[in-house]
Amino acid sequence: MSLKAMHIVFVSCSIALAFCFGAWLLNDYAGTHDRVEMATGIASCAVGLTLVVYAKAILRKLRQISFL
């Protein structure tokens, strides 16, 4: 597996983890109304969005490198 392919897999897993963790915290906030959970959930979703922007930029930069 090339460095480009491994990078894409790692960033994709990080995006999924950030959004799932944020959704879990925001769902838990609905029941407990703990402001720390809300803030952490929003921050986690913001990290997920930042990782999406990063993934688009890195794919654009590494466009000419093959996956093999």
Side-chain angles (χ1 to χ4, degrees):
M1 185 179 279
S2 72
L3 185 61
K4 178 182 177 180
M6 187 61 197
H7 195 79
I8 291 170
V9 168
F10 181 71
V11 171
S12 298
C13 289
S14 298
I15 290 169
L17 181 65
F19 281 125
C20 288
F21 184 64
W24 175 59
L25 284 171
L26 292 174
N27 186 34
D28 197 39
Y29 167 74
T32 62
H33 298 293
D34 185 14
R35 292 180 190 226
V36 173
E37 287 181 347
M38 180 184 64
T40 309
I42 291 171
S44 182
C45 290
V47 167
L49 288 174
T50 304
L51 283 169
V52 168
V53 171
Y54 171 75
K56 286 182 180 181
I58 202 71
L59 283 174
R60 199 174 320 116
K61 182 178 180 179
L62 300 176
R63 184 178 332 148
Q64 66 276 7
I65 299 174
S66 71
F67 283 102
L68 299 175

